[in-house]
Amino acid sequence: MTKILIDCDPGHDDAVAILYAARHLDLVGISTVYGNQSVEKTTRNALSLVTLLGLDTPVARGCEAPLTRVLAHGGDLHGKTGMDGAEMPAPRQDIVDAHAVDFIIEMASRNRGELVLCPVGPMTNVALALKKEPRLAGWLRAISLMGGATQIGNTTPVAEFNIWCDPEAADIVFRAGVPMWMVGLNVTRQVGVTDADIDRLMAAGPVARAFGGLFNFFISRLREVHNLNSASLHDPCALVPFIVPELIGYEECPVEIALDSGLTRGMTVCDFRRLTSKSLQNIRAKAPANCHVATSVEGRKLVEHILNAIVSWEDGSMPSTTV
Ligand code: BDR
Ligand code: CA
């Protein structure tokens, strides 16, 4: 079974990623980062979630700010707590006695060649870990992240939130030479929970009802802010290559992060050109591919697969990994 470590900022859809990974994969750890809320709140949310799900997955607290600037946490989409909409239990376990950066290094060292690192928040912890331990890139089986977009952004016209929070960190991650999988908004916005799905969750057990409450809040914010009619399950999409790979199509290409301070800061520039020559004067040569970029998805099938994992959580029945 694939070993996975989720680096996250829970966060409504981060919570779904944790449940989905715990259901189908060997979730060896959770590390937290600022993002959807302050790191104090995202860490508490991760601990509450582990308690709600009855897991004993270790949780390590990470960075509270990006590499190069200070960031205000507005809780724009995820509310004051970072996971508004559900009564979450008080955490039963404490954080581990290591910073997320060291925890990531330690878990990768213990599981050399096996661990998939799954960043679904700003990439500050991951970048610092790659810098601190140069062997880390070689120890990881893959990095599979939620972030970026091939078309429009959500935080600026072209930048997606996780990358926009810390473009310098994302740049370090994309240059690290680890086999990379990126799922961005172009795909994750097609994986949306509807009002009818929420009704289904509300009619099921306590865990499903908690997720129904979370989605209710999230869908109302996405309606108000982004004029969307479903709650996007961004973060669990990053796990799909290791659970139901047939549901998301990827294309390998070069990806670079725009680091300028202007309009395109935080953009994931994906080079999908079909160039045949490198030697033309006025055409920028194509860099070597460094990432598999998600370009297509069977959105409804994936939503159903994720909902089944939530609804069946209580009775412990294992939903199929095939669809
Ligand atoms: C990403 O930003 C956060 O709001 C979500 O949790 C997701 O990781 C989507 O842009
Ligand atoms: Ca997230």
Side-chain angles (χ1 to χ4, degrees):
M1 196 185 275
T2 302
K3 290 182 193 295
I4 203 112
L5 193 160
I6 298 187
D7 184 71
C8 58
D9 58 338
H12 294 73
D13 52 326
D14 303 73
V16 185
I18 289 170
L19 180 147
Y20 198 43
R23 172 56 94 202
H24 290 289
L25 304 170
D26 181 6
L27 179 62
V28 300
I30 297 168
S31 52
T32 61
V33 67
Y34 70 90
N36 289 325
Q37 258 299 351
S38 65
V39 74
E40 287 76 23
K41 291 183 181 178
T42 60
T43 305
R44 189 187 156 86
N45 291 342
L47 292 168
S48 295
L49 196 66
V50 161
T51 301
L52 176 78
L53 299 177
L55 302 170
D56 56 7
T57 314
V59 175
R61 179 186 147 133
C63 295
E64 58 188 29
L67 295 181
T68 60
R69 70 202 163 111
V70 176
L71 194 76
H73 308 291
D76 284 347
L77 294 179
H78 299 264
K80 282 200 189 84
T81 63
M83 265 177 38
D84 279 13
E87 276 296 313
M88 295 299 288
R92 253 203 315 259
Q93 76 184 56
D94 208 349
I95 50 172
V96 299
D97 190 21
H99 189 279
V101 168
D102 298 310
F103 179 70
I104 290 170
I105 294 169
E106 170 62 23
M107 295 311 275
S109 171
R110 267 194 231 167
N111 298 286
R112 292 185 195 193
E114 284 187 273
L115 187 68
V116 174
L117 181 55
C118 187
V120 294
M123 267 141 245
T124 318
N125 289 335
V126 180
L128 287 174
L130 287 163
K131 284 281 174 207
K132 186 167 183 180
E133 175 48 89
R135 292 173 298 176
L136 174 60
W139 291 342
L140 291 170
R141 174 178 156 197
I143 291 178
S144 184
L145 62 91
M146 189 282 136
T150 62
Q151 294 142 13
I152 61 168
N154 54 4
T155 305
T156 78
V158 294
E160 180 278 332
F161 179 76
N162 290 340
I163 306 289
W164 178 86
C165 281
D166 197 347
E168 282 74 20
D171 183 56
I172 291 169
V173 175
F174 274 87
R175 289 177 189 279
V178 182
M180 294 269 299
W181 305 77
M182 163 188 143
V183 63
L185 295 174
N186 51 301
V187 157
T188 63
R189 280 230 170 124
Q190 298 178 55
V191 185
V193 165
T194 63
D195 288 319
D197 295 328
I198 295 173
D199 290 345
R200 180 179 162 207
L201 293 175
M202 287 305 203
V207 167
R209 277 203 299 283
F211 276 85
L214 290 174
F215 292 152
N216 236 338
F217 179 88
F218 200 33
I219 202 172
S220 70
R221 296 302 291 140
L222 289 167
R223 258 192 200 112
E224 283 169 37
V225 179
H226 287 293
N227 199 20
L228 296 177
N229 227 0
S230 63
S232 311
L233 299 181
H234 303 289
D235 292 347
C237 290
L239 301 162
V240 168
F242 309 95
I243 301 175
V244 273
E246 66 274 24
L247 293 190
I248 296 187
Y250 284 80
E251 203 172 311
E252 212 177 351
C253 74
V255 179
E256 285 178 74
I257 310 297
L259 297 178
D260 55 86
S261 56
L263 206 53
T264 57
R265 181 168 169 79
M267 181 180 183
T268 42
V269 181
C270 304
D271 193 347
F272 290 121
R273 292 176 301 166
R274 309 254 175 243
L275 286 183
T276 52
S277 164
K278 284 185 176 172
S279 58
L280 294 174
Q281 222 183 342
N282 294 319
I283 295 182
R284 190 184 187 215
K286 198 163 168 159
N290 62 344
C291 188
H292 299 83
V293 176
T295 53
S296 63
V297 60
E298 297 207 46
R300 192 59 221 169
K301 275 193 186 172
L302 182 50
V303 170
E304 291 287 345
H305 198 252
I306 295 170
L307 289 177
N308 285 342
I310 299 174
V311 169
S312 67
W313 185 267
E314 245 92 41
D315 64 22
S317 66
M318 185 60 98
S320 150
T321 47
T322 53
V323 278

